[in-house]
Amino acid sequence: MSTALTARERMLGRLRAAAPSAPEAVEFIDTAIDQHYLARRAAAPLPVRDRIAAMQAALRAAHAQVDCVSADAWPALLAQRLGAHGAHRLLLDTGSAEGRALRAALPQGVEALAFARPLAQWKGELFDTVDAGLTVARSGIAATGTLVIAPDAATPRTVSLAPPLHICLVYASSLHVDLHAAARAERWADGMPANLVLVSGPSKTSDIQQTLAYGAHGPRWLWVLIIDDLSVQEGGQP
């Protein structure tokens, strides 16, 4: 016991005697991080159009259905798939350009709903009768197949969380190579949204045997449509 106490005292003594190191300046750390990611992207560049393929591959690996479609063709494609899926009620921002385009293409039997009431007033109806929710991603991260969603009053977090089917549109011109590129290009440091949501696949969990189950804590299905808008702005973003 005395030997253990002596060893402990020696260790504590060395810790107390050690001079505290000065913390690195935030600017120095930021520069080091920037240099790391810039070097990595320079060694393995990912042109803008190649980001589409990378995004698709990562999302499919996460059990999402994903397609790249032109800006004028996606409403008809999505409307047809909703009908085939058996969806009857779709939650979306009816005032957005995307919401108006999809509403015009929906077949009879598929109702478009706006999130126009406080959740407490129609919580039961929402969870029991709404089949799908549509969101438009702020951007995407190709390396991980991540959708960057910024919920707002018209499309709160509930739209992408409560219905069993989450449908997300993301524009090809908004795809970033990695998370660092997204944070820098969108200037998150200057005012990151308080409720930014990152989605990389449908909701999934596993039991002790590591058997995956989908839809336990959120949408069972995730459909992603990458809108190819690069023809009018070829070259994209950095």
Side-chain angles (χ1 to χ4, degrees):
M1 182 66 67
S2 59
T3 303
L5 288 174
T6 301
R8 178 176 178 273
E9 290 169 355
R10 286 200 301 269
M11 180 179 67
L12 290 175
R14 288 195 295 269
L15 290 173
R16 294 188 186 105
S21 57
E24 296 283 4
V26 173
E27 294 80 6
F28 177 84
I29 296 173
D30 281 348
T31 299
I33 292 173
D34 287 345
Q35 290 175 344
H36 168 78
Y37 280 99
L38 287 171
R40 191 167 77 171
R41 289 196 290 269
L46 191 65
V48 177
R49 285 212 168 269
D50 290 348
R51 296 175 201 174
I52 297 175
M55 188 81 176
Q56 287 178 305
L59 281 164
R60 286 171 180 157
H63 209 262
Q65 177 177 310
V66 55
D67 295 279
C68 183
V69 63
S70 65
D72 58 349
W74 74 263
L77 173 64
L78 184 51
Q80 185 273 328
R81 287 187 175 173
L82 284 167
H85 185 74
H88 297 292
R89 307 191 85 196
L90 169 67
L91 193 59
L92 76 168
D93 179 2
T94 55
S96 69
E98 294 85 1
R100 291 192 299 269
L102 182 55
R103 284 185 72 185
L106 287 176
Q108 288 187 348
V110 181
E111 179 186 5
L113 299 172
F115 203 106
R117 289 176 282 168
L119 179 59
Q121 294 183 8
W122 69 307
K123 185 175 181 180
E125 178 187 351
L126 169 62
F127 280 86
D128 293 340
T129 70
V130 175
D131 304 299
L134 174 74
T135 62
V136 180
R138 167 185 174 132
S139 58
I141 301 172
T144 55
T146 302
L147 302 162
V148 182
I149 301 172
D152 56 22
T155 51
R157 176 70 174 108
T158 309
V159 175
S160 64
L161 182 64
L165 168 60
H166 175 203
I167 305 163
C168 189
L169 309 180
V170 60
Y171 288 89
S173 61
S174 75
L175 298 182
H176 303 285
V177 176
D178 51 38
L179 180 61
H180 174 266
R184 288 303 188 194
E186 298 180 15
R187 304 182 68 86
W188 291 4
D190 295 343
M192 182 175 176
N195 194 22
L196 203 62
V197 176
L198 304 182
V199 175
S200 298
S203 170
K204 55 184 176 291
T205 188
S206 64
D207 57 19
I208 196 169
Q209 275 104 26
Q210 298 184 352
T211 302
L212 280 177
Y214 291 88
H217 307 295
R220 181 177 180 182
W221 301 285
L222 173 64
W223 296 356
V224 179
L225 291 182
I226 301 174
I227 310 302
D228 187 353
D229 59 340
L230 295 177
S231 59
V232 294
Q233 45 186 343
E234 202 64 52
Q237 64 186 62

